[in-house]
Amino acid sequence: MPSPASGQTPALIHVAIVEDDPVFRQALAGAIEGTQDLKLAGAAGTRAEGLAMLEGPAADVLLVDLGLPDGSGIDVIHAAVQRWTRCSVMVSTNFGDETHVIRSIEAGASGYLLKDSSPARIVDEIRSLASGGSPISPIIARQVLARFRQTKVSAASQPMASNEAPPLSAREKEVLELITKGFMTNEIAKLMELSPFTVRSFVRRIYTKLKVTSKAEAIYEARNLGLLTN
Amino acid sequence: MKYRPTPFFANAVLVLSLLLLVIVGIFYSGAGSKQSSAASPHLTQADWQVDDAQGFSAPPPVLDSASLPNTWQHSALPLAPPIALLRQASTKTNATLVHTTWLRLSVPALPNHDSPLALYGARIKTDGTIAVYVNGRLVYRAQEQGPLWNGTRTPLWVVLDRPANSAPLSEILIRLEHTQGTRVAVSSLWLGPVETLKVRYHLRQWLQQELPAILSMAFLTIGIFALFVWFRRRHETSYLLFFNLAVTSFLRSLHFYMGVPIANDWFAWLTVNSLLWLVLVVHFFLCQLHGRQLTWFTRALVGVTGMVGVLTLPVLAVLPNTPKVTPLIYPIAALMGASVGWVGGVNAWRRRSNEGVLVAIGVGICTLLGVSDWLLQNNFVSPEGWYFGAYSNAITFGIFGTLMYRRYVNAIAEVERANANLAQRLQQREAELEQSHQQLREIEQRQLLSDERQRLMQDMHDGLGSTLISAIRSVEQGGMRGADVSQLLKDCMDDLKLAIDSMEPVEADLLLLLATLRFRLEPRMESADVALLWEVKELPALDWLDPSSALNILRIVQECIANTLRHTRATRIRVATAMEEAGVQVIIEDNGQGFDVAATLERANGRGLRNQQRRAQAIGGKVTWRSGATGTQFALWLPLRRDC
């Protein structure tokens, strides 16, 4: 899979990790060590350490585990979005199941990594994410489509929300639909006459919109509940 | 009731309406209340005499009281000589012999007045011409054609125009012609300026004629309304009876204010008989209210009414409907009225019918009013009294109006109650329904949970559990390389991923399920260096696709691909889907070396294929293999619908 970040790019990708499992930390360190373009910039084992790490210099990619011993990785994702604004956050998960991934994306993550991935795949995913692409699975694509359908319905009844929640473009929708049918990034790129990287960057854009949408929904909900006054 | 004004607003409207009525009342009664008895003397003394004459004659325009025989007797007004009723009725009509009753009133000196004077008297009753002379000059004539029906209810009202230089008013002479045997009656008179007497006259005129007429019309209007109600509700005869009552009442009260001459004609017949009919209708009404038939009493009433009706028919003229005979018929009506009131009242009381009692009391009052009329008409009481009979109409109207009102209000309340009841019952039903739904949902939920638990248990037992046990055993026996252990654990992991994917929301979309599987298998395909041709087409939704079926499908397809990767040395796998008549098909082809399907199914190590068959059967589908030297085609057929 050709990736624009691979090869002889001078820019070094700084990777930080928040993970309580030392074995996976080691696996990750091992995978990174085998590359020229990746560098492990920091590692934290707990939520508190992770938040503290965010006070330091920003990395390009932050890998976060959700199940930390002293709290949820979601908090770390939230904080990372605030502190390390240019950093791409990636959640590490055992199964890549819809519940965990969607929650992370709504919190601000741009991608996810299956923990049992091969070292080669791990570095590929990190490179792709650093260059502005995002991975997606059929189930998540279906869920994202459903989210935007819901938003459209609620936006019709509440014009205020529609200003804040951008709808999916036709091409973005097409990408998601092809993914739910089981097509891989390369195949979709061929079908839509795009580069695989463009397809992955479409996914990143969709995730950003989903984040905004969920935020708009949260604000709308909060207003409804009377927690916010305009 | 949808529209409910605020109590304050409602009260304001009520007060305003009442205030308007009071203002109108004050305005009318206050107009010309500047009466002074000095300005308008009350004439209560008169001289009178009765002369005989041959036939009625027109009153001469000028008459000097001195020319009359000097047989004056003094009397105080009102004058109402007693009447011998039986003699009056039996008198043979001798048209030629008439009496003339003369009344002479001397007028006290009146203060000088510029405005015209008026003579007012509550009543003058006679069946001949009435003539009034002032200072010997004829100023007023009435009843030249004989008595009028409303004659006794019309007050005397004469406006005297005073010539500029005439002598002061000194004497009033009244000439009353009447047939033999009948008696006249004259109330006391008032003389005074028109302005001051007008009020008395108008009040009496209004109360004796106009108000009864208005009430009678109102009654008739409501009666017509009731008739239209009855048209729509034929089973409620009380509305028809009410209409009948209104019509009869209207007929009966016509004579109170109609200025038609009294003669033995149909009008007289209707006037006399409608009183009896009225009593009869009220009796039927009462029967409805207390709910008893009273057959014999009813028959007696109908009999009497019918008999009087026939006897007084103008064409038969057995009993003429004239003022001479009717005073003898009316007591029958009074008796009927009293007995109807009494019998109805007693029955209503026994049957606890408040409405019946009310009507009975009304009948009693009306009868009393009738009796008072009769006494007045026949000179038993002072002619200055009032004819209250005209108000029996109002009483009837009031009482039956009350009944209708109560019925109306009760009906509305009933409807409201029924609505409230309905709403309540509906709510109750809804709550019950909701509860039973809740229970059903709970049971369903519990069943689902239990099923799911069982499925997971079974799955862990058969899949992950057994693989792990064999892995542990292999590791313990030490006959296993690290790579093999790793592969075994990876298989476990794959299995676990399948289980998790089977629980993701695929929403009956088989394609999404296959896509998920492909997504999972992709790393392995990549490492095995096998090209995957993904040639799927849209498929209809499979509504039966629950997690358990999804897991079976995932396992079947995964097993197929795993077998291909493991055993066939294929370089290309093609996955396709197709629509069939009653189902869908998932086809997986490879270009590897084939195998003997039948033989493999027989063999002990054909467990994988047999598992696929078993799983397919469990979800109502089937699997087939076609294998040759150039490859194998595997097909999984799934039904569109599963009835379970």
Side-chain angles (χ1 to χ4, degrees), chain B residues 3-53:
Chain B
Y3 175 63
R4 248 182 232 275
T6 58
F8 170 75
F9 184 66
N11 287 337
V13 168
L14 180 66
V15 168
L16 188 73
S17 311
L18 291 178
L19 208 64
L20 281 175
L21 279 180
V22 169
I23 288 170
V24 167
I26 289 172
F27 179 74
Y28 273 105
S29 61
S33 60
K34 42 179 191 229
Q35 293 178 21
S36 64
S37 53
S40 45
H42 191 187
L43 309 176
T44 57
Q45 303 296 322
D47 294 325
W48 70 290
Q49 60 170 306
V50 180
D51 293 346
D52 290 340

Side-chain angles (χ1 to χ4, degrees), chain B residues 55-69:
Chain B
F56 289 114
S57 59
V62 178
L63 196 119
D64 188 358
S65 62
S67 69
L68 295 171

Side-chain angles (χ1 to χ4, degrees), chain A residues 94-95 97-98 112 114 116 121 136-139 142-143 179-184 187, chain B residues 493 496-497 500 504-507 509 511-512 515-516 518-520 522 526 534 536 538:
Chain A
N94 287 331
F95 301 107
D97 53 301
E98 172 257 335
Y112 62 96
L114 287 173
D116 64 343
R121 198 165 183 97
I136 192 163
S137 78
I139 288 280
R142 167 62 57 88
Q143 288 305 308
I179 287 166
T180 63
K181 288 186 179 120
F183 292 99
M184 293 290 142
E187 292 163 344
Chain B
M493 189 64 191
L496 201 55
K497 281 180 183 168
I500 282 173
E504 295 276 27
V506 294
E507 293 155 2
D509 189 350
L511 210 51
L512 183 60
T516 305
R518 184 190 183 188
F519 189 77
R520 287 292 187 207
E522 183 63 17
E526 220 171 282
W534 193 252
V536 295
E538 291 265 19

